[in-house]
Amino acid sequence: MNLNEITIHFAHPAYQLAAALDRRDTGIKNFQTWTREEMRDRIGDGDVMVLSGYWNNDLLPDADKLKFIQVCAAGYDPFDLDAVKAKGVRLCNASGCNVNAVSDHAMALLLALTRQIHIGRDNQKKAHWRGMISDLTQREDELPGKTMLIFGLGKIGGRLAKLAKAFDMNVIGLKRDTSTPVAHVDELHPSAAFKELLPRADVAVLTCPLTEETRNVVDGEALAAMKPSSFLVNVARGGCVDQQALIDAMRNNAIAGAGIDVTVEEPLAESSPLWSMENVVLTPHTGGETRKYEENVIDYLLENLNRLSRGETELFNQIV
């Protein structure tokens, strides 16, 4: 691939990816489309595509010039990998580009819950100065000595463990392969031990991918196993949690609360009880977004373009 002869098609409704590349002064030709309709109209103009949610597999037949797709997110579920391969297109994802952002966000959700920042914000809107609380179960809490159970010890889960240790927490980690130790994790267990370990957790955090094994891994049985004083934090995928079971559990005070960045359906329906639950901190799948996101994606893109220009077959975060 000759970088002087290619055109990159960026397709995203918000991320300013073309501007980020132009700031690098690479000289590589590029353009950005901002809507599905624009993207479809120009699908045949790019040798390289950088996108995530706009993809449909029926675009492939019209993508005559396409040779490489850089997904600007970790997830690549919408892509028919066999069809992409048959078309002769290489595909990589951006797994790891939001490690700092998502692990920070998970910690922020936990801190919001334990320090009751969300309740303070609600009281601020009402100009209500809350008095001191006598009931120990209703007060803010401290993290040192608490136990965090992390389901999924990839890059995000691994960094979250490091953050938890900085707050003097005990960390129990779950992953498929337990043959090698993980830094900052006090105990390492196989993923299958999740429900068995839940009674020990003061907070259970999901940082795993959505697979058949992790779909609804937090169900009614799992929630019943948690301590009434514990929290659930989900920065993985909405489908990892049985959403109705979670709503029921919080209505019945089976757990103390939940920090949720992802839901089963996105956007979350206006009718969902999650919006109005006082013991929920809800963010709109923004855990991975920061001011550095575009730059991180461009780093991955340029690494792979340089490998392709050198004729290398092994790409960074290669999927196809």
Side-chain angles (χ1 to χ4, degrees):
M1 179 179 290
N2 188 334
L3 301 188
N4 295 320
E5 298 177 354
I6 67 167
T7 298
I8 302 174
H9 178 179
F10 296 102
H12 201 279
Y15 295 151
Q16 300 180 44
L17 294 160
L21 178 64
D22 288 342
R23 284 194 294 271
R24 304 291 183 97
D25 197 25
T26 63
I28 301 174
K29 290 180 290 186
N30 68 87
F31 65 92
Q32 179 150 352
T33 56
W34 300 92
T35 67
R36 291 180 187 275
E37 292 73 21
E38 279 186 287
M39 179 197 67
R40 181 173 287 278
D41 287 344
R42 300 202 63 181
I43 192 64
D45 296 340
D47 303 278
V48 173
M49 286 199 75
V50 183
L51 78 168
S52 55
Y54 277 170
W55 181 258
N56 286 313
N57 290 304
D58 62 4
L59 294 168
L60 264 178
D62 297 322
D64 297 327
K65 296 174 60 180
L66 189 60
K67 292 293 182 287
F68 175 59
I69 299 172
Q70 175 68 64
V71 184
C72 59
Y76 52 90
D77 298 6
F79 294 88
D80 182 333
L81 301 185
D82 291 335
V84 169
K85 185 175 182 179
K87 182 78 171 177
V89 175
R90 306 296 302 279
L91 183 144
C92 298
N93 73 350
S95 175
C97 76
N98 59 4
V99 167
N100 293 345
V102 178
S103 53
D104 285 356
H105 199 80
M107 206 70 207
L109 290 172
L110 176 58
L111 286 166
L113 289 165
T114 55
R115 300 306 306 165
Q116 299 186 18
I117 302 299
H118 56 305
I119 297 175
R121 181 70 181 203
D122 291 346
N123 286 337
Q124 178 183 341
K125 290 180 179 178
K126 296 181 287 188
H128 171 66
W129 188 275
R130 191 209 74 189
M132 294 183 181
I133 295 176
S134 180
D135 185 346
L136 295 181
T137 66
Q138 299 304 307
R139 284 188 200 167
E140 291 85 350
D141 208 350
E142 301 178 16
L143 292 181
K146 301 289 188 185
T147 295
M148 177 183 287
L149 177 64
I150 304 175
F151 190 103
L153 279 176
K155 295 175 182 177
I156 292 171
R159 185 170 184 272
L160 178 60
K162 180 180 180 180
L163 296 178
K165 294 307 292 183
F167 281 87
D168 295 323
M169 299 185 73
N170 302 312
V171 178
I172 303 174
L174 295 156
K175 61 182 303 213
R176 290 181 184 176
D177 180 9
T178 59
S179 60
T180 55
V182 179
H184 313 294
V185 173
D186 298 299
E187 297 179 32
L188 184 60
H189 297 269
S191 301
F194 180 56
K195 289 182 179 177
E196 173 189 334
L197 293 166
L198 278 171
R200 296 175 55 192
D202 295 295
V203 55
V205 187
L206 302 182
T207 56
C208 53
L210 178 60
T211 66
E212 287 308 308
E213 290 76 21
T214 62
R215 188 176 300 279
N216 287 334
V217 69
V218 175
D219 55 11
E221 181 183 358
L223 291 160
M226 296 176 68
K227 295 188 287 190
S229 59
S230 65
F231 298 110
L232 173 71
V233 171
N234 186 9
V235 290
R237 286 292 183 269
C240 295
V241 176
D242 181 331
Q243 203 157 278
Q244 187 57 53
L246 176 61
I247 291 168
D248 294 341
M250 289 190 295
R251 280 174 171 166
N252 297 323
N253 298 314
I255 63 173
I260 303 169
D261 185 51
V262 287
T263 56
V264 175
E265 293 181 353
E266 297 180 357
L268 181 65
E270 291 183 15
S271 59
S272 173
L274 292 172
W275 288 111
S276 57
M277 287 185 159
E278 189 178 69
N279 54 348
V280 170
V281 178
L282 177 66
T283 53
H285 204 151
T286 53
E289 293 190 4
T290 71
R291 299 177 188 184
K292 290 187 64 176
Y293 196 87
E294 285 92 336
E295 297 298 332
N296 294 340
V297 170
I298 296 301
D299 284 344
Y300 285 24
L301 170 65
L302 292 178
E303 172 65 26
N304 280 323
L305 290 181
N306 285 326
R307 292 190 188 191
L308 288 167
S309 71
R310 295 191 295 265
E312 297 181 20
T313 57
E314 189 65 30
L315 302 180
F316 184 73
N317 281 350
Q318 178 178 315
I319 307 300
V320 174

